[in-house]
Amino acid sequence: MRVSRTWAVALTGLRGELVEVEADITAQKPEFRIIGLGDKALGEAQRRVMNACENSDMRLPDRRVTVNLSPAGLPKQGTGFDVAIAVASLAIDGFVLPESLARTVHIGELGLDGRLRPVPGVLPAVHAAASRGFERFVVPHANADEARLVPGIEVIGAVSLAEVARWHGADIEVPDVEPVPGEAASARADNRLDLSEIVGQPAAVEALIAAAAGGHHLLMSGPPGAGKTMLARRLPGILPPLDDAAALEVASLRSLAGEPVTALDRTPPFEAPHHSATIASLVGGGSRTARPGAIARASRGVLFVDEAAEAPGGVLDALRQPLEQGRIEIHRAGFRAEFPARFQLVLATNPCPCGEYGVRGGTCVCAPSVVRRYLSKLSGPLLDRMDIDLRLQRVASSQHDASPPVTTARARERVAAARERAAFRLRETPWRLNAEVPGAWLRQGPRPVSPEARRVLEAALQRGAITLRGYDRILRVAWTLADLAGRDEPSAVEVGQALFLKKGVTA
């Protein structure tokens, strides 16, 4: 008995598990069978592999070939095992060198003509295998640049199965064929958006800078044309660039979502799902394989939901657990996937269905009960998790030159300086942003806000104007305002400003 072995990777969410692909041949009735708890797509690999080998002039032996994917109890999904199954099957008859296969991880789908087709999730798969000591990878040509984003490894971007076999020692002629192309890159957010284009909203711009500096969640309410979307789309531009680990995580999530990845983008991601999006599109998932939803794709960046009060019931409440835990879990029959969900949430809503309630110079035609019902769609527990509440008005023409505009470059410098102060203050803790600090540490930790500064908060808490969660969030914003002002700790001024931001800012 001769068994050949190589390696592949099974992905569950962002977590990759190494899979040993074993092939065995016996002198029984000719058959090609794949075992090891694969899904339907993987079960169909036997026809793809057999036809690809035949059309590459590498016919499999006319005996029983059994391919085992170990560990057998680990669920495996998708077509990314095709290449590993093919080369392991060819090795049992001595067509390729088994010693070469045992040190190589193979990822990719096979076409019937023998060409390698790109698959999603190559970056997290390669990263998972590289972290376990593997240094040599064979991937489809269209995924090669993506795989090379993982440092310290050797990547072979193969066009055809014949090329893979030749690389493993097969004496075969490699046909000159065109590689299967990957998907074209989709348009990304425009990085040229500048804060200086926001006119007549100086308080809103300062609140946006505070949100960026502390990582705070933001709610904006106001009539159409007040600038809510313009402000939200400029938030990623004033956030610090992503470090290597965060950029790799963002790129891995994009790869899992099926987007082409050729470089590490240092700009924080910006996701803006339509207000009619379903819970599944936000949370992610799938019946056979777990794909990241908008919540996970926004991790390390901004999730913007416009017209939030128009969202279907229960959709926004699905954000509550990820906001608190920084991750999202997807449970399906047979597997559980976990994705990161460390994002800043920005909600925007009109004050009423017609958009004119409480607007300067506007005429609202909505009945009071309609206004209450409209705003009640944003649940109290969700609103309690928002650190800053902006109440915007339309800009009057006389306000255009009221103050010099703040540029994105200047705002980014202020945000970076404030984050450095916070990181230095929190250097002996597991947190780096004010928004991450637990309430108990804020109230009882080594650096609590002075009783004089907290007096206004205590009064608001006693009369029921804020909850204890809101109390903690106001303290976090106060620390951020102190960091922006260069203070060692918040004074009554910063606490009062933070309370004002939580209760609403009128531009």
Side-chain angles (χ1 to χ4, degrees):
M1 182 180 67
R2 182 177 180 181
V3 178
S4 62
R5 295 178 174 87
T6 190
W7 297 89
V9 180
L11 287 173
T12 306
L14 274 187
R15 189 180 74 252
E17 298 288 347
L18 282 170
V19 173
E20 188 176 27
V21 182
E22 304 174 303
D24 179 36
I25 187 171
T26 56
Q28 300 178 28
K29 180 181 178 180
E31 184 183 14
F32 189 89
R33 177 173 295 183
I34 300 172
I35 60 176
L37 204 58
D39 66 351
K40 184 176 180 180
L42 207 161
E44 294 172 344
Q46 57 182 347
R47 296 309 315 169
R48 292 193 298 271
V49 169
M50 292 181 68
N51 285 54
C53 290
E54 182 79 24
N55 292 325
S56 301
D57 295 328
M58 297 181 293
R59 187 173 184 177
L60 294 175
D62 290 330
R63 284 175 285 176
R64 175 169 292 183
V65 177
T66 303
V67 178
N68 180 44
L69 307 179
S70 179
L74 175 71
K76 306 165 189 74
Q77 301 92 21
T79 58
F81 296 85
D82 288 5
V83 179
I85 293 171
V87 294
S89 302
L90 291 170
I92 55 178
D93 210 24
F95 205 90
V96 298
L97 299 178
E99 299 80 9
S100 178
L101 297 185
R103 303 189 304 271
T104 308
V105 177
H106 298 82
I107 303 170
E109 177 186 333
L110 285 174
L112 298 183
D113 58 357
R115 290 189 298 171
L116 271 66
R117 297 180 175 275
V119 293
V122 166
L123 179 57
V126 170
H127 183 260
S131 66
R132 290 164 174 79
F134 283 86
E135 299 179 351
R136 185 183 298 165
F137 296 83
V138 173
V139 301
H141 181 273
N143 293 129
D145 289 340
E146 176 181 338
R148 293 189 181 104
L149 295 177
V150 179
I153 62 172
E154 178 186 1
V155 176
I156 295 93
V159 175
S160 65
L161 180 60
E163 183 180 346
V164 178
R166 178 71 175 269
W167 190 83
H168 284 303
D171 184 13
I172 186 175
E173 182 178 349
V174 178
D176 184 15
V177 294
E178 288 291 324
V180 177
E183 291 189 15
S186 58
R188 306 298 295 173
D190 191 349
N191 296 329
R192 296 172 297 178
L193 299 175
D194 200 281
L195 267 182
S196 60
E197 299 168 358
I198 306 292
V199 295
Q201 299 281 20
V205 170
E206 287 301 311
L208 191 74
I209 293 172
H216 302 294
H217 305 307
L218 174 65
L219 169 65
M220 296 183 287
S221 60
K228 302 185 294 294
T229 303
M230 289 185 67
L231 285 162
R233 291 193 174 277
R234 283 153 181 79
L235 178 56
I238 64 177
L239 295 174
L242 301 176
D243 58 21
D244 290 344
L248 185 62
E249 179 183 287
V250 170
S252 296
L253 288 165
R254 287 177 54 199
S255 175
L256 275 176
E259 299 182 34
V261 177
T262 57
L264 292 183
D265 191 353
R266 304 289 175 171
T267 303
F270 181 84
E271 289 289 327
H274 194 263
H275 65 265
S276 63
T278 63
I279 293 179
S281 66
L282 284 179
V283 172
S287 59
R288 293 180 298 176
T289 182
R291 290 293 183 90
I295 291 174
R297 296 196 305 271
S299 189
R300 307 286 186 170
V302 178
L303 177 66
F304 174 53
V305 182
D306 200 2
E307 306 293 348
E310 302 284 352
V315 170
L316 293 181
D317 285 333
L319 300 171
R320 286 159 51 184
Q321 185 230 6
L323 285 175
E324 291 295 324
Q325 299 184 0
R327 67 181 188 277
I328 188 163
E329 294 183 356
I330 299 172
H331 295 264
R332 294 292 184 270
F335 71 89
R336 180 183 69 86
E338 181 177 302
F339 293 110
R342 292 179 287 272
F343 59 90
Q344 274 187 261
L345 177 62
V346 179
L347 300 179
T349 182
N350 292 334
C352 68
C354 75
E356 299 297 324
Y357 178 75
V359 176
R360 182 175 51 236
T363 302
C364 178
V365 297
C366 303
S369 60
V370 173
V371 175
R372 288 193 301 271
R373 187 164 56 249
Y374 185 80
L375 294 179
S376 67
K377 293 181 180 179
L378 301 178
S379 68
L382 179 63
L383 293 177
D384 216 21
R385 287 167 169 82
M386 307 305 293
D387 299 338
I388 298 175
D389 182 0
L390 281 175
R391 307 287 176 85
L392 301 175
Q393 293 283 353
R394 292 194 183 100
V395 177
S397 59
S398 59
Q399 293 178 309
H400 282 185
D401 300 321
S403 59
V406 178
T407 65
T408 289
R410 175 56 185 152
R412 192 187 303 118
E413 291 175 0
R414 293 178 58 194
V415 168
R419 288 199 174 199
E420 286 179 7
R421 291 183 65 88
F424 181 78
R425 185 179 67 253
L426 300 170
R427 63 190 180 279
E428 296 180 357
T429 73
W431 317 295
R432 290 297 175 266
L433 293 176
N434 291 321
E436 300 171 351
V437 181
W441 195 90
L442 287 169
R443 289 178 267 111
Q444 304 166 8
R447 300 190 63 174
V449 178
S450 67
E452 294 77 13
R454 286 189 285 120
R455 188 174 292 115
V456 64
L457 279 185
E458 296 290 348
L461 186 63
Q462 288 179 3
R463 66 175 182 268
I466 59 175
T467 65
L468 186 58
R469 181 187 284 123
Y471 181 102
D472 293 340
R473 292 191 177 279
I474 292 169
L475 284 181
R476 294 185 184 108
V477 176
W479 273 108
T480 297
L481 295 175
D483 290 332
L484 284 168
R487 293 180 177 271
D488 292 334
E489 65 178 55
S491 66
V493 173
E494 283 77 33
V495 174
Q497 289 174 342
L499 178 60
F500 194 43
L501 286 173
K502 176 65 176 174
K503 300 301 291 183
V505 169
T506 302

